[in-house]
Amino acid sequence: MRGPIEDSRGVGGYANVVAVVSNPNHPEHREAVEWLEFVTQERVSKFDPAAFDLEAINGQLRSLAQRCWPGEVTTADQQAVLGPILWFLNEARSDGLPLTSAGYLKPAFVKRAMTELGWDDEWISAGRVEVSTPPIRNLREHLQEWKLLRKLKDKLLLTPKGRKLVGDPAALWDFLADQLANPDTDAEKIATPLLVHWELTGDEPPYGLRDQVLQPALHQAGLRTRSGHGEIPLSWATDLYYDINRSLHRLELWEGISWGRSDQKLSDAGVKFLLDVQSRWDGRNV
């Protein structure tokens, strides 16, 4: 049979939920159905307590084994995870990247980047203008946030840090793992370990519940609005989730194109990178 539902109070509580949901005459039937549909984000008519997916279970066991024995980080792993970042930094290495008068990357560069990074076929229209090509715009913005690129007059140039790391993928891997392991804000320090844990374990809540899991985690950590009185709005938790998710998707952690979808399987190199990030939390509870 399938495993117990999250927050169903163990095997006994789950057995009770199954019994109540299966009995329309039970006085708590309606309440149990509403709870089950909220937690699983699926209609009760599709809920099958006897379901057992052998292929999925074996996949989870393989994933667990990979997390327990990931192996050493290889040069190929570094190239796989850092591929678009290294490409971008190398393009700026000699004389920088020219910008338009409005401060965007020039259309010819955007088009070439989409093609050479292999993203053309995965984008709904030909990427040419940076402002309407989020894969390129978000990557460039993160490289600036990580202080690997800086804007000077009409160009994007490597910073001293970027110039030092562009030729050393191992050092760049360490730098970016440190960036994710040591975010700037208290909210990110709470939320980032959760998102990394979800990715590694495959236990990410249903799409519509992720912000509703983050919000109480922020409250439990004592975070409040700037006034010090109001609770963190759900919309803030939603924005926080997407901000961290965008940072993760600037790295090639998944099998296939990772910037457009959030339901892909982590690659072996991606698992190694996120385990490395986790190891830098020095025993922080997740």
Side-chain angles (χ1 to χ4, degrees):
M1 298 174 69
R2 64 177 291 170
I5 298 171
E6 188 75 18
D7 293 332
S8 57
R9 298 184 179 179
V11 175
Y14 175 61
N16 182 64
V17 169
V18 171
V20 173
V21 167
S22 303
N23 180 7
N25 296 320
H26 194 286
E28 298 177 3
H29 174 77
R30 182 175 178 179
E31 181 182 350
V33 167
E34 290 177 351
W35 176 85
L36 184 144
E37 291 184 340
F38 174 75
V39 171
T40 64
Q41 294 290 286
E42 64 182 49
R43 300 293 297 175
V44 70
S45 59
K46 296 183 179 180
F47 175 70
D48 180 9
F52 182 80
D53 188 336
L54 180 61
E55 183 177 349
I57 294 298
N58 283 333
Q60 291 175 356
L61 290 172
R62 285 192 295 271
S63 177
L64 177 61
Q66 187 182 31
R67 297 198 306 273
C68 292
W69 302 285
E72 297 294 325
V73 175
T74 66
T75 301
D77 292 330
Q78 295 160 0
Q79 293 291 336
V81 168
L82 306 174
I85 292 173
L86 286 169
W87 183 91
F88 214 111
L89 294 179
N90 273 300
E91 287 294 311
R93 193 172 191 172
S94 58
D95 195 33
L97 300 174
L99 301 172
T100 65
S101 58
Y104 295 109
L105 291 163
K106 292 196 171 182
F109 176 84
V110 174
K111 185 177 187 305
R112 182 164 65 86
M114 290 292 288
T115 299
E116 294 190 15
L117 291 172
W119 293 349
D120 270 339
D121 292 340
E122 299 292 332
W123 191 240
I124 56 177
S125 61
R128 290 186 176 86
V129 181
E130 184 188 10
V131 71
S132 60
T133 312
I136 300 301
R137 186 181 73 246
N138 293 342
L139 178 56
R140 188 261 301 170
E141 288 174 350
H142 275 85
L143 290 172
Q144 289 181 261
E145 289 176 15
W146 290 326
K147 295 181 172 54
L148 299 174
L149 286 178
R150 63 188 177 97
K151 187 184 295 185
L152 181 63
K153 295 183 180 179
D154 58 349
K155 284 187 177 182
L156 274 180
L157 301 172
L158 290 177
T159 64
K161 173 68 73 175
R163 192 164 295 282
K164 178 180 178 181
L165 295 178
V166 64
D168 190 345
L172 181 60
W173 172 294
D174 285 339
F175 171 76
L176 293 176
D178 272 334
Q179 290 292 302
L180 285 171
N182 298 283
D184 293 331
T185 69
D186 289 336
E188 290 173 321
K189 290 174 183 176
I190 300 299
T192 302
L194 276 174
L195 267 68
V196 170
H197 173 75
W198 291 343
E199 289 292 347
L200 282 170
T201 61
D203 289 337
E204 190 169 42
Y207 184 79
L209 294 180
R210 295 166 194 174
D211 50 1
Q212 297 182 49
V213 175
L214 283 178
Q215 186 190 42
L218 297 173
H219 292 161
Q220 187 175 6
L223 299 186
R224 296 294 184 269
T225 59
R226 289 182 178 177
S227 66
H229 302 292
E231 293 188 342
I232 301 296
L234 188 62
S235 61
W236 290 16
T238 303
D239 291 343
L240 179 63
Y241 170 81
Y242 283 115
D243 285 345
I244 298 172
N245 199 47
R246 278 192 289 269
S247 293
L248 291 175
H249 279 76
R250 298 292 63 78
L251 300 154
E252 292 290 82
L253 304 175
W254 291 266
E255 295 179 352
I257 302 299
S258 65
W259 47 259
R261 297 187 291 273
S262 59
D263 59 348
Q264 291 179 296
K265 180 180 181 294
L266 283 173
S267 65
D268 289 353
V271 169
K272 291 179 182 179
F273 183 85
L274 292 184
L275 287 174
D276 190 356
V277 172
Q278 277 192 336
S279 73
R280 296 167 191 257
W281 282 318
D282 296 328
R284 181 190 307 173
N285 291 326
V286 177

